[in-house]
Amino acid sequence: MENKGIPLIGDRFPELKVSTTHGPMTLPDELSGKWFILFSHPADFTPVCTTEFYAFQKRYDQFRELDTELIGLSVDQVFSHIKWTDWIRDNLNVKIEFPIIADTGKVADMLGLIHPGSPTHTVRAVFIVDPDSKVRAILYYPAELGRNFDELLRMIKAFKVSDDQGVAMPANWPNNELFGDDVILPPPSSEEDAEERRGQEGCLDWWLCHVPLED
Ligand code: BEZ
């Protein structure tokens, strides 16, 4: 059943026509066939957000190598985004290459980006959307905590392996304390399947099996 409120994991990302620093965009159709990360920040010209934009841009090539686009968002006008990214370019020597949505508050409402702890600004939200325009992950951070962008790279890599190989990823993958970079087999689908797994190499029990990554 499709959720009609704020998008949740498994929902299709809602249709949005937005103004950005790269001109108008229609989401998710314009990025269909690619992964994308839409992330909101509280406001332009704020310190933590500035460090976040720097960190995201520094990893932009790595995201593009994973066929993943980035889109920023805040309730600020395009001219403010431009002035701020010009400041980042002139002072931190980094050109922000990804588009930033200039929201009037409409998208923030639709995506659930205004929370009680931050009623006047969008929270730091992250939506990870797959090539079929399906929401695969949603993260929320408060204003006082900058995000970990290496974790977002890890998530995209993990989703791709999970989708390609039909497996799940253990904690801290690929540096799991028990299984290294091995991946987890999904639960058995029958008693026969479960029985087969008993005593199988890599199975601690019939419901807990790890296997090496396929090449
Ligand atoms: C910041 O990015 O530094 C920030 C933004 C909103 C509230 C607090 C901090």
Side-chain angles (χ1 to χ4, degrees):
M1 193 177 63
E2 191 75 5
N3 163 57
K4 294 287 178 205
I6 62 171
L8 299 176
I9 290 174
D11 283 334
R12 183 178 158 81
F13 190 82
E15 310 288 328
L16 301 175
K17 283 187 192 313
V18 290
S19 301
T20 82
T21 46
H22 291 194
M25 285 181 80
T26 304
L27 298 175
D29 293 356
E30 214 167 307
L31 295 175
S32 167
K34 279 178 171 275
W35 289 82
F36 73 87
I37 298 178
L38 186 145
F39 65 101
S40 59
H41 64 280
D44 296 345
F45 293 100
T46 49
V48 177
C49 301
T50 302
T51 63
E52 289 196 318
F53 269 60
Y54 185 87
F56 236 150
Q57 181 59 44
K58 283 284 180 189
R59 289 160 182 78
Y60 192 30
D61 284 346
Q62 291 178 70
F63 281 106
R64 279 193 292 209
E65 276 165 24
L66 294 167
D67 208 23
T68 302
E69 278 306 325
L70 307 177
I71 312 169
L73 178 151
S74 70
V75 181
D76 287 295
Q77 296 183 27
V78 167
F79 84 83
S80 167
H81 290 331
I82 293 171
K83 290 295 282 179
W84 183 41
T85 53
D86 280 355
W87 187 95
I88 293 172
R89 182 198 60 210
D90 295 345
N91 292 276
L92 306 178
N93 299 318
V94 157
K95 180 172 164 32
I96 302 299
E97 294 174 300
F98 49 83
I100 312 168
I101 295 170
D103 183 27
T104 56
K106 210 169 131 198
V107 180
D109 273 350
M110 196 181 269
L111 298 183
L113 305 179
I114 304 293
H115 293 201
S118 174
T120 55
H121 293 107
T122 47
V123 289
R124 299 184 198 281
V126 178
F127 289 82
I128 299 184
V129 182
D130 75 11
D132 295 326
S133 305
K134 190 186 274 191
V135 175
R136 298 293 294 274
I138 305 170
L139 310 173
Y140 292 118
Y141 288 64
E144 64 271 26
L145 283 191
R147 286 161 278 201
N148 182 327
F149 294 92
D150 291 327
E151 167 63 0
L152 300 182
L153 278 169
R154 186 190 81 97
M155 289 177 77
I156 297 283
K157 287 177 193 162
F159 275 133
K160 284 177 173 245
V161 174
S162 174
D163 288 358
D164 286 351
Q165 301 186 16
V167 292
M169 315 330 254
N172 297 326
W173 182 86
N175 297 307
N176 178 261
E177 292 80 355
L178 292 167
F179 307 142
D181 67 356
D182 275 11
V183 293
I184 304 280
L185 287 183
S189 52
S190 64
E191 283 181 356
E192 192 185 350
D193 200 9
E195 203 49 52
E196 224 173 81
R197 289 190 188 184
R198 277 185 216 281
Q200 195 174 296
E201 193 185 339
C203 290
L204 276 67
D205 208 324
W206 59 269
W207 49 270
L208 179 53
C209 297
H210 61 103
V211 293
L213 272 179
E214 288 171 17
D215 289 330

